[in-house]
Amino acid sequence: MKKDKNKQNKTIAIVAGVVIALLLLFVFKGYVYQWAVKYEDAGSRKNYDIKDETLASFIIQNLPNDEALDENIDISQIIDFSLSMTDQALDFSIEYSDNEPSKAFQNKGANCVGYAAFTAATGNYLLKRFGLDKEWEARPKKGKLYLFGNNMHKNATSGWFKDHDFVIFKNKKTKEEIYVDPTAYEYFGARRVDKFQK
């Protein structure tokens, strides 16, 4: 009887441990993704300016109603707004082929190339709106992804690792770079991603 009770307690402890581990993995999935996956710049994509009034209006309407924002905004907030607005405006699907932000906004969806183009265009629009465009710029980039240090691009024939775009926010003076992936933000909640260090 005592052996059965010990066995039952061990089973409960194991199940509880697995549930807690899965819960923690879910809660911290953005950090796990950022830790596991690194990005390498594999070339530039076309950078778009936002000229469409409907899209510009969407961006302005989705800014917080805070008068102090004009004086206190920083690059981190610009990036977070750009990611959040991309997430709100678009649904991800590889079926979409329009990468121009206005068309993606009209279609309400894009693939990873369109997501990166939309985030970079939104970021540049906000940088200009808040007067930070002389210091910062956003550029959509083709990416090579490394999972635990392994180049996943060279052996992939399709999917996430074969052709995946991201965005680099770059300080024009200091050359500081901040990597973001709007698709990883939507799926994993990863606000930033890391550059692959050779």
Side-chain angles (χ1 to χ4, degrees):
M1 193 72 165
K2 208 170 194 179
K3 279 186 180 180
D4 287 342
K5 191 159 185 150
N6 283 343
K7 193 174 185 181
Q8 186 179 14
N9 287 342
K10 280 184 181 179
T11 303
I12 290 171
I14 290 171
V15 169
V18 168
V19 168
I20 290 170
L22 290 173
L23 184 62
L24 287 172
L25 189 60
F26 178 77
V27 170
F28 296 107
K29 63 186 174 188
Y31 295 109
V32 172
Y33 181 87
Q34 185 178 3
W35 169 74
V37 180
K38 307 298 181 206
Y39 288 66
E40 182 179 27
D41 181 351
S44 294
R45 293 279 193 196
K46 182 173 180 181
N47 213 356
Y48 296 92
D49 290 327
I50 293 179
K51 296 176 183 171
D52 180 70
E53 291 296 321
T54 308
L55 179 51
S57 178
F58 167 82
I59 293 168
I60 296 300
Q61 289 173 0
N62 280 284
L63 287 170
N65 190 9
D66 182 0
E67 292 177 14
L69 201 58
D70 282 319
E71 296 172 14
N72 300 323
I73 197 160
D74 62 18
I75 188 61
S76 188
Q77 289 172 298
I78 297 270
I79 293 169
D80 289 344
F81 290 151
S82 301
L83 289 170
S84 176
M85 289 176 195
T86 303
D87 187 35
Q88 290 173 43
L90 304 178
D91 289 321
F92 178 81
S93 174
I94 58 171
E95 303 300 317
Y96 290 107
S97 58
D98 284 324
N99 299 325
E100 198 275 319
S102 297
K103 289 182 182 174
F105 183 68
Q106 290 169 2
N107 296 337
K108 305 225 180 293
N111 58 27
C112 68
V113 178
Y115 260 56
F118 192 94
T119 299
T122 302
N124 284 322
Y125 182 88
L126 291 171
L127 288 167
K128 190 171 187 176
R129 158 70 178 80
F130 290 105
L132 297 175
D133 57 320
K134 294 203 179 354
E135 189 176 352
W136 289 91
E137 66 180 344
R139 294 252 172 228
K141 297 289 188 170
K142 296 178 204 173
K144 286 185 184 177
L145 275 62
Y146 292 80
L147 181 63
F148 300 113
N150 297 308
N151 183 344
M152 301 305 290
H153 179 79
K154 68 178 177 184
N155 295 325
T157 56
S158 65
W160 187 280
F161 291 108
K162 179 61 182 166
D163 185 27
H164 192 77
D165 283 28
F166 68 104
V167 179
I168 298 176
F169 283 81
K170 185 173 184 175
N171 187 300
K172 296 175 183 178
K173 296 173 186 170
T174 67
K175 307 302 182 201
E176 175 190 359
E177 294 179 331
I178 302 171
Y179 282 40
V180 298
D181 180 349
T183 311
Y185 173 75
E186 182 172 311
Y187 280 97
F188 305 107
R191 291 187 178 277
R192 307 290 183 269
V193 292
D194 292 330
K195 181 178 183 177
F196 177 70
Q197 302 294 334
K198 294 180 181 182

